[in-house]
Amino acid sequence: MESLLVSISTVAIAEMGDRTQLLSLMLAAHYRRPWPILAGVVCATLVNHLLAGVIGIRLGRFLTPTMLDTVVGVSMIGMALWALKPDALKEDAARVSGANAFLATAVAFFIAEIGDKTQIATVALAAAYSNLFVVVAGTTAGMALANAPVVFLGKAFSDRLPLKAIHYVASGLFLLLGAVFLFRAVHRGF
């Protein structure tokens, strides 16, 4: 029970104000389909954190800070470019299918979560506790708890949100984060 509660609370707290919450808001404002988006977040997190847990248990000693910073930096720059991509669905967002919102969320969230602090926390928690499935269930529940309000508020305010400005701000933040992580990787040395 301790490993479950520690996993839920650690990840829920670590996720507050994280870039993946910004991604959840962007997706909710764009697709206006909260349930498929939340399902995409949960599925992507489950797969990502299961992989992180396995790494934490079996290969944690090979995960260097430089390697993590490089992967995070490159993925954030990719997210910055994705956020700037012109979107043909802007004017017709209300008619986007749930399957499209789910798939877009699952792929984007999985990529954004690579090297994220919650994924690193999952690696550490899996290394600390012997029950992989309890840790992954807890970290996934923590992500859902932290992102659900953002997804539903994003839907409620999506008509009032300036999507173009959100895309530019998100792109700028992703680019800045990518540059910081790549700088840290270079500074540490390969």
Side-chain angles (χ1 to χ4, degrees):
M1 188 62 140
E2 176 187 339
S3 60
L4 179 67
L5 295 176
V6 169
S7 296
I8 290 170
S9 59
T10 299
V11 169
I13 291 167
E15 181 66 5
M16 294 300 163
D18 194 50
R19 68 181 180 257
T20 47
Q21 274 194 323
L22 175 63
L23 177 61
S24 294
L25 177 62
M26 264 182 52
L27 290 164
H30 175 73
Y31 288 109
R32 302 172 188 175
R33 306 285 306 221
W35 290 110
I37 291 169
L38 189 58
V41 167
V42 169
C43 289
T45 301
L46 184 62
V47 171
N48 190 292
H49 286 195
L50 183 59
L51 293 172
V54 169
I55 289 170
I57 287 175
R58 302 213 174 145
L59 304 173
R61 67 182 183 267
F62 299 114
L63 221 51
T64 67
T66 301
M67 180 173 55
L68 285 174
D69 286 343
T70 302
V71 169
V72 172
V74 169
S75 68
M76 287 300 97
I77 290 171
M79 292 301 295
L81 295 173
W82 174 79
L84 286 176
K85 184 179 177 217
D87 205 341
L89 298 174
K90 279 185 187 175
E91 297 174 16
D92 214 11
R95 286 191 256 158
V96 171
S97 75
N100 288 341
F102 170 80
L103 185 60
T105 301
V107 170
F109 208 87
F110 181 85
I111 291 169
E113 190 63 17
I114 294 172
D116 192 62
K117 62 187 170 188
T118 54
Q119 186 187 42
I120 304 306
T122 302
V123 170
L125 289 166
Y129 294 103
S130 61
N131 194 333
L132 172 67
F133 297 106
V134 170
V135 169
V136 171
T139 59
T140 302
M143 287 293 279
L145 286 172
N147 281 287
V150 173
V151 169
F152 286 97
L153 287 176
K155 181 187 182 304
F157 294 110
S158 63
D159 290 332
R160 297 182 201 143
L161 294 173
L163 287 179
K164 190 172 185 177
I166 289 172
H167 284 268
Y168 284 129
V169 169
S171 178
L173 289 173
F174 287 135
L175 187 60
L176 179 64
L177 285 169
V180 167
F181 279 98
L182 287 176
F183 176 77
R184 284 180 15 183
V186 170
H187 181 71
R188 286 187 180 139
F190 291 95

